[in-house]
Amino acid sequence: MYKNKFDPYEKGYYGEDLRPKLKLKNVTCESIDVSLSHSNMTPEIAQKIAEKQEKMEILKTTTVNEKPNFYDNLQMIPTAIIEDMPEGWNLFDTPSDAELMDLMRSIESVGLINPIHVMLMSSGAYCVIIGRFRHLAYLNLLNITKNKIYEKIPAYVINEDDADELYIRNMIFESNFKFRSISKFNLIQTMIQNYNLMRRTKKHRRQLNVAMELAKQFEVSESTVFDYLKVRKLCDTGLYHLYNGNITLKAAVYLTRVPKEIQEEIIREFGVKSVNAIFRLKLLIANEKISLEKLKKQIEVVNTLVPEKTRITIEVRRELLSALIELLLQFKRFEAASQAGKMSGKFKNVFNFKCNMEDMKFYLEKSLINKVSLNKLLAKSITEMANIK
């Protein structure tokens, strides 16, 4: 397989993997790359690095405002030499065997309808930007059929110097976002990556400007963008577990309310799975200035707790609805009212009944349920329930 031949001065300035890394302890072996250490960096390499950075800043500014057109550079590229973009650029899952076979059959029948997009690196390597799925299908067809028609694949070629990193990453995202499903974790990850890249340009220094652009790009509200961006305040361990689906977004947002060192301690001492128990997590983050010693004691306490309230969903046929309402009302009059009496007579933290009111209108019209009973069941306090006649 054709290997990347990135120039040494490019390393770290192009194709950076922006995903969070989990820092593992008890490392027994470590490999260190000293190719660009200060001791052996020549003036020539330092100058190339500075020139590369300046060129990328110019590209970041121009490609945001001027959308380049790459569709006039269609070439037939040898299938076998095309490789993937740097690790961490494409956040979408590879196709299943069944999906891949379907695409291969389609290509065999009608050919490749849409060319792929590749980037021509300064090293001479071709990296696929859009069409990894199609490229993979071509590779498999070439290996299986040995047909020379699959030796080259039509591709729009983008020279590395013609587009900046943010623009290329957005091309990858948008091509997948429109045609393939994406998990919430990958959506957040992509949004944060774009946020970090956009903030490096002068036009997008202000967070509000970035949020507005991201809201348009991802077709969500600005408030949703800010919610997703909150996870930037997560510690590295929290980010790692969020993106790998070990902790929920809701738990992640709650964790951001305390300093990162407290987050790390909660995840380590409380456990990754336990963090998703929001009713316990809320107690652990109540005091953001808590010491690590007191936090450990607090964890011991919350581990003994159970949820104060829970939710039960009931689905019932119309013939049984009236009887169910009367049974629930009886429960509310006695057991629930007894507890509510200890809480200013309000049912808020004791018993809440909700139903599909649109459906209830039809049942009331046909006299299938009692209107008084339904209203009593919906009452917010003992006094309100008693006054319903």
Side-chain angles (χ1 to χ4, degrees):
M1 198 72 174
Y2 195 89
K3 300 296 182 183
N4 264 336
K5 296 181 181 178
F6 292 110
D7 294 335
Y9 64 86
E10 291 181 314
K11 187 175 182 181
Y13 295 96
Y14 194 84
E16 178 185 0
D17 187 355
L18 302 177
R19 298 175 299 175
K21 302 294 190 305
L22 181 62
K23 297 178 181 179
L24 301 175
K25 294 189 175 182
N26 302 321
V27 177
T28 56
C29 179
E30 184 177 358
S31 176
I32 301 176
D33 183 1
V34 296
S35 59
L36 286 181
S37 63
H38 292 288
S39 60
N40 62 7
M41 183 182 291
T42 65
E44 290 78 12
I45 292 180
Q47 183 178 355
K48 286 184 177 181
I49 290 176
E51 292 174 353
K52 182 72 176 180
Q53 288 178 313
E54 183 179 359
K55 179 181 288 188
M56 290 182 69
E57 280 300 318
I58 295 173
L59 280 174
K60 283 186 180 76
T61 303
T62 56
T63 53
V64 166
N65 300 312
E66 305 171 11
K67 303 299 182 184
N69 179 20
F70 304 116
Y71 295 98
D72 56 356
N73 192 10
L74 181 63
Q75 301 179 28
M76 298 297 292
I77 308 298
T79 306
I81 71 169
I82 299 174
E83 54 188 278
D84 208 351
M85 289 300 285
E87 181 183 2
W89 280 49
N90 196 316
L91 307 175
F92 296 83
D93 297 331
T94 54
S96 65
D97 291 343
E99 290 173 328
L100 183 58
M101 289 300 297
D102 285 342
L103 181 57
M104 290 167 61
R105 282 193 289 268
S106 173
I107 291 175
E108 281 188 296
S109 300
V110 299
L112 185 66
I113 298 175
N114 295 310
I116 67 173
H117 289 65
V118 297
M119 175 176 279
L120 175 58
M121 314 301 291
S122 59
S123 62
Y126 288 94
C127 297
V128 61
I129 299 172
I130 300 175
R132 295 169 74 212
F133 196 172
R134 284 164 277 166
H135 176 239
L136 184 59
Y138 249 62
L139 280 175
N140 278 271
L141 286 169
L142 177 61
N143 293 331
I144 294 171
T145 68
K146 309 300 181 184
N147 192 328
K148 291 186 178 181
I149 195 174
Y150 302 117
E151 289 182 351
K152 292 185 177 182
I153 185 171
Y156 295 112
V157 180
I158 304 171
N159 291 318
E160 178 187 348
D161 294 334
D162 290 342
D164 79 298
E165 182 177 337
L166 174 62
Y167 187 81
I168 297 300
R169 285 182 185 256
N170 281 344
M171 287 181 66
I172 295 173
F173 170 77
E174 290 178 6
S175 66
N176 285 278
F177 185 64
K178 291 177 181 177
F179 301 110
R180 294 173 60 188
S181 60
I182 178 173
S183 70
K184 182 176 289 186
F185 301 112
N186 284 347
L187 179 62
I188 296 169
Q189 187 176 349
T190 306
M191 189 177 292
I192 291 176
Q193 286 186 356
N194 284 14
Y195 174 87
N196 291 333
L197 289 167
M198 292 173 74
R199 286 296 296 271
R200 296 176 186 176
T201 64
K202 291 182 179 179
K203 178 181 178 181
H204 297 100
R205 291 282 167 81
R206 292 180 65 243
Q207 188 177 27
L208 181 59
N209 290 347
V210 178
M212 292 172 61
E213 291 297 323
L214 290 175
K216 295 176 184 176
Q217 177 187 346
F218 290 84
E219 299 179 359
V220 296
S221 67
E222 289 179 31
S223 61
T224 299
V225 171
F226 282 117
D227 284 341
Y228 285 170
L229 291 179
K230 285 178 183 177
V231 301
R232 290 183 302 111
K233 298 179 181 179
L234 266 181
C235 61
D236 289 344
T237 304
L239 283 170
Y240 174 85
H241 287 298
L242 171 65
Y243 292 152
N244 284 280
N246 300 325
I247 64 175
T248 65
L249 175 62
K250 187 176 182 179
V253 172
Y254 272 109
L255 276 173
T256 60
R257 298 182 182 181
V258 295
K260 289 186 176 181
E261 61 269 20
I262 300 296
Q263 297 175 27
E264 292 278 4
E265 190 70 13
I266 289 175
I267 295 173
R268 181 169 56 253
E269 295 293 332
F270 196 37
V272 176
K273 292 183 178 179
S274 299
V275 169
N276 293 318
I278 302 298
F279 75 99
R280 290 176 173 172
L281 182 60
K282 285 181 179 179
L283 296 174
L284 293 178
I285 65 169
N287 181 8
E288 65 177 48
K289 296 182 180 180
I290 191 172
S291 66
L292 297 181
E293 183 179 352
K294 289 184 178 180
L295 178 63
K296 290 182 180 180
K297 294 181 179 179
Q298 185 75 351
I299 288 174
E300 293 178 3
V301 173
V302 300
N303 275 330
T304 65
L305 302 178
V306 297
E308 186 179 77
K309 295 188 296 183
T310 190
R311 181 176 298 173
I312 300 173
T313 302
I314 299 176
E315 189 173 12
V316 62
R317 281 189 62 85
R318 60 176 178 264
E319 295 88 351
L320 301 174
L321 180 59
S322 180
L324 176 62
I325 288 177
E326 296 302 329
L327 285 173
L328 291 174
L329 181 56
Q330 184 178 2
F331 171 83
K332 185 174 184 178
R333 280 173 173 156
F334 297 99
E335 283 80 2
S338 176
Q339 287 291 322
K342 303 174 184 178
M343 300 181 180
S344 303
K346 296 181 179 179
F347 288 107
K348 181 178 179 181
N349 293 315
V350 177
F351 177 80
N352 283 312
F353 173 81
K354 294 182 180 180
C355 60
N356 186 326
M357 292 305 297
E358 290 299 318
D359 288 349
M360 294 301 129
K361 291 178 182 178
F362 295 107
Y363 297 136
L364 289 168
E365 287 176 1
K366 301 297 182 180
S367 299
L368 294 176
I369 58 176
N370 185 286
K371 184 177 181 180
V372 173
S373 296
L374 177 62
N375 289 337
K376 284 181 177 290
L377 201 51
L378 292 167
K380 302 299 183 183
S381 66
I382 294 176
T383 303
E384 180 185 344
M385 185 172 65
N387 291 333
I388 295 174
K389 305 296 183 181

